[in-house]
Amino acid sequence: MTSDAAPGSSVHLNDVNMAVEDVIVGYFVKFWRLPAVRRYFHWMFLFLTLLGSLLKELDVVPQSYFSHRRNAINVYFIKLSWGWTLLLLTPFLLLVNSLFSRSVSFLGRRVCALLVATGIWYVCTATFVYIENVTGSCYETETMAVLKKEFTFKASCKQAGLHWDGFDISGHAFILAYSALLIMEEMAPMGSMMAVSYSALPRMALNFLYIALNLIVIIWVWMFACTAVYFHDLSHKLIGTVCGLSAWFLTYRLWYLKPLSPGLPPVRHLKGQKQHA
């Protein structure tokens, strides 16, 4: 009797889990469908940069767990933020777009969008490091009283236990803003998928990835706010933020609208394609 009941219980539990996932997914889809959210989401990063910098300058925000660079989220998530973004976004992108179309060229365009994004991330972060190197100098301590001319690069200076002072464009401000906007754009097809009937396994996987992507966006926005309040000068954060917003705007608002581009994510299901294996 026990062995007969177990499969039924398992099926029932799966149905409950799927129902819960569907509800959570529904709330997130409704949020991203709000016109004001998509219209003003990118402006929020500029607002946070300016407001956070003002609060930092006034020194009115008390120190907290997130004001320390060694906090767990910074060490295990933000330092690896692009890896987390790709880890969650790549399978979601492949799965959701394969449910729209099994065309290799169709999927290839979305993969190209990720490759473009990765190229932007690499070029921008490498440029930030280069600028900090060419504009900086190595000092014995943070007081910058004793100059150590023998160290001409930040890496060697830090390895020697010394202090490097250069124009440090905020890589956190750039990558967190850019990653959040990239995820927002590539999650767009999920609204259409709710109206499509497909089998349980891909549905559960897609729901899980979509929820995880939304949670990672929440983390990125929260840590962006912490960066704005606790770290860097205004100019460092502002340039990093503008670079992130510009990278998003030039691709998803300009280039991807052109024929010779990866194009935008699909936002409607194909006619007659109601059931997918």
Side-chain angles (χ1 to χ4, degrees), residues 107-149:
L107 289 174
R109 288 165 68 107
R110 302 312 326 136
V111 172
C112 280
L114 282 187
L115 294 176
V116 168
T118 301
I120 290 172
W121 161 77
Y122 179 81
V123 170
C124 286
T125 52
T127 301
F128 297 164
V129 171
Y130 175 77
I131 290 174
E132 189 178 8
N133 270 318
V134 298
T135 60
S137 298
C138 187
Y139 297 90
E140 191 171 289
T141 64
E142 292 186 9
T143 61
M144 294 183 285
V146 180
L147 179 65
K148 311 293 284 188
K149 293 184 177 180

Side-chain angles (χ1 to χ4, degrees), residues 43-76:
W43 292 115
M44 175 192 66
F45 293 103
L46 278 177
F47 174 76
L48 288 175
T49 297
L50 297 175
L51 177 61
S53 298
L54 176 61
L55 294 176
K56 180 177 183 291
E57 187 67 24
L58 296 174
D59 197 23
V60 295
V61 179
Q63 297 296 298
S64 71
Y65 176 73
F66 295 101
S67 64
H68 302 287
R69 297 182 184 273
R70 298 300 300 174
N71 72 75
I73 293 181
N74 188 56
V75 172
Y76 297 110

Side-chain angles (χ1 to χ4, degrees), residues 10 28 31 39 84 87 113 118 127 144-145 166 169 173 184 187 199-200 205-206 231 234 244 265 269:
S10 178
F28 280 129
F31 173 78
R39 187 179 301 123
W84 280 107
L87 180 67
T118 301
T127 301
M144 294 183 285
I169 298 173
M184 176 193 73
M187 287 194 304
S199 57
L206 198 60
F231 304 105
L234 172 60
H269 61 272

